[in-house]
Amino acid sequence: MILNEKQRMLRKLYRQFAETEFTDELLDRLEETGEFDRVIHDKMAKYGFMGVKIPVEYGGSGGDSLAYAMMVEEFARVSPVLSIYANTSNSLGGGPLMFCGTEEQKRKYLTPCAKGEKIIVFALTEPGAGSDAGGTLTTAAQDGDCFVLNGRKTFISGAPFADYAIVYAKTDPAQKGSKGISMFIVDMKLPGVSCGKPEHKMGIIGYPTSDVILEDVRVHKADLLGPLHKGFATAMKTLDGGRLGMAAQALGIAQGCLDESVKYAKDRKQFGKPIAKFQAISFMIADMATEIEAARQLIYSTAVRKDAGDPESSKLCAMCKLYAAEMCNRVAYKAVQIHGGYGYIKEYKVERFYRDARITSIYEGTSQVQQMVISGNLLK
């Protein structure tokens, strides 16, 4: 796919920002503390990255899915963790509001998120409802002008520092499976809302993840998002866009691995010459580059087709997520292999990329869930 001048300039902006602002010092600090860094978040917000896909009337840039995918890719190429900082408001956090929020809800919640003033997260997964999101046990019972929420969400990225959460809860217990689920905008400071201890994760360290516990939380009916009992369809629609973003993240990680591998292979000498001169190494690099480019073309074309209203976009987004995530893990493996023992040492970037890569085939739908979506579309 050939980018036009505007798209090339956007990609250049994203790349320059990441290479300039995502310093080794910052990345090491995130890895050491595991804490959210508000300073870099605010700097990213100042450049408008938190609202790339959000309409201009709600404080965003009104960009398209390709601009969003390129941003996530270029940020993840330097730091997968920091790519999530700019991803959430444009994807799972802001997505439900963009799809079915009222005018009042969009202005109240979406606008400050686009400006980076507030952070909103997506709370769907539960201890017993991961891939089977339709098995939601969190409940919301109407009581006068409020809904009373009870339940527990798990693996909620960004929960410990979020201002709001889009919470999915069963509002009609008589309906089975994914039916009878509604969406609510929950203020994380409401009485009865608490977060569990941040998880100790293998990778993506610096973007805390925890449980969200809801105990008799009273949410006003004005914060019911979308039609009552119809929230699950919006969750799936939101996840389509999220999968495109996570595919772009996997692409960025893989490109970062390739960049480091090419540099290392040219510098590292064995048997009297750079290891890039050995066919075993050069062929691995050739395979890595080919898979990366294949993923890039699939992701970019899917972004364009999604915005054009292609009825196959749901299947294509799942294909992007499946292929890019599995490709990313293969490339990260080869990157460590090319680095040899040094690839196992934390001072080398590929060690961190290798750990960060693993989650791409798990979150926002495992690779097996993507296979279910793809095959379901083909065999219906």
Side-chain angles (χ1 to χ4, degrees):
M1 180 176 180
I2 300 175
L3 302 179
N4 61 36
E5 184 178 359
K6 180 181 178 181
Q7 291 163 340
R8 290 196 300 271
M9 289 185 67
L10 274 175
R11 186 171 64 178
K12 183 179 179 181
L13 170 65
Y14 301 144
R15 182 172 296 183
Q16 286 181 338
F17 183 88
E19 291 178 344
T20 303
E21 301 296 340
F22 298 171
T23 62
D24 289 341
E25 179 186 8
L26 170 59
L27 302 186
D28 288 344
R29 186 167 69 249
L30 291 172
E31 183 78 15
E32 181 180 350
T33 67
E35 296 175 355
F36 178 72
D37 191 291
R38 176 64 70 168
V39 174
I40 189 64
H41 171 274
D42 290 347
K43 188 171 288 188
M44 293 165 83
K46 184 179 178 181
Y47 274 78
F49 299 142
M50 305 307 176
V52 163
K53 271 188 71 178
I54 296 174
V56 174
E57 59 265 37
Y58 304 115
S61 303
D64 57 16
S65 293
L66 180 55
Y68 159 66
M70 288 193 299
M71 176 187 72
V72 176
E73 175 193 355
E74 291 299 333
F75 286 178
R77 179 172 162 265
V78 180
S79 172
V81 176
L82 293 175
S83 72
I84 302 177
Y85 280 40
N87 176 70
T88 304
S89 55
N90 290 293
S91 179
L92 298 191
L97 281 159
M98 286 189 273
F99 284 131
C100 58
T102 64
E103 188 66 21
E104 183 180 353
Q105 288 172 335
K106 289 176 181 177
R107 298 213 176 273
K108 182 177 179 180
Y109 298 110
L110 194 58
T111 299
C113 287
K115 295 178 178 178
E117 298 166 356
K118 298 290 183 180
I119 294 171
I120 190 165
V121 297
F122 184 83
L124 175 64
T125 302
E126 297 185 2
S131 295
D132 178 21
T136 296
L137 295 179
T138 297
T139 60
Q142 191 158 8
D143 180 20
D145 287 339
C146 292
F147 287 86
V148 181
L149 274 62
N150 282 282
R152 177 184 168 196
K153 299 296 182 177
T154 196
F155 301 143
I156 308 306
S157 298
F161 54 86
D163 298 289
Y164 308 109
I166 305 296
V167 174
Y168 292 81
K170 198 83 171 180
T171 45
D172 186 356
Q175 297 191 52
K176 304 299 181 184
S178 61
K179 296 179 180 179
I181 293 175
S182 301
M183 297 184 294
F184 297 90
I185 308 165
V186 176
D187 188 325
M188 295 293 282
K189 295 181 178 62
L190 283 175
V193 179
S194 61
C195 290
K197 183 180 179 181
E199 304 287 356
H200 293 292
K201 300 177 293 185
M202 175 192 293
I204 309 296
I205 298 169
Y207 198 80
T209 298
S210 74
D211 284 1
V212 175
I213 299 96
L214 305 153
E215 298 175 296
D216 293 329
V217 179
R218 298 184 68 84
V219 177
H220 195 273
K221 63 182 182 182
D223 288 326
L224 169 68
L225 181 57
L228 186 66
H229 310 323
K230 304 291 185 181
F232 192 77
T234 301
M236 296 303 101
K237 190 175 180 181
T238 303
L239 282 168
D240 281 342
R243 287 164 182 166
L244 183 66
M246 290 303 95
Q249 184 192 55
L251 173 61
I253 295 171
Q255 184 64 57
C257 286
L258 178 62
D259 294 342
E260 291 300 312
S261 297
V262 168
K263 183 170 61 175
Y264 183 82
K266 289 180 176 179
D267 292 340
R268 174 68 168 168
K269 292 183 178 180
Q270 291 283 271
F271 307 103
K273 57 184 177 181
I275 63 172
K277 297 293 184 180
F278 293 98
Q279 193 175 78
I281 302 298
S282 64
F283 278 17
M284 274 199 283
I285 288 173
D287 286 345
M288 291 160 72
T290 300
E291 287 202 80
I292 289 168
E293 189 58 31
R296 180 174 290 114
Q297 295 305 318
L298 176 60
I299 292 166
Y300 284 17
S301 66
T302 296
V304 173
R305 291 173 67 175
K306 182 177 183 296
D307 286 349
D310 190 325
E312 293 194 330
S313 61
S314 180
K315 179 189 71 176
L316 290 168
C317 287
M319 286 178 168
C320 288
K321 173 71 162 59
L322 172 63
Y323 182 75
E326 296 298 325
M327 174 277 297
C328 176
N329 278 274
R330 289 191 295 268
V331 167
Y333 175 91
K334 288 177 180 176
V336 172
Q337 199 70 13
I338 288 168
H339 281 71
Y342 290 108
Y344 205 67
I345 304 300
K346 288 187 178 293
E347 281 76 12
Y348 285 75
K349 290 182 179 180
V350 294
E351 185 273 341
R352 191 177 299 169
F353 277 136
Y354 186 77
R355 287 186 288 108
D356 288 343
R358 189 62 187 87
I359 193 61
T360 62
S361 60
I362 298 174
Y363 63 3
E364 295 198 30
T366 64
S367 290
Q368 289 67 40
V369 166
Q370 307 313 315
Q371 290 171 322
M372 289 166 59
V373 173
I374 296 163
S375 60
N377 272 269
L378 292 170
L379 301 172
K380 62 183 176 183

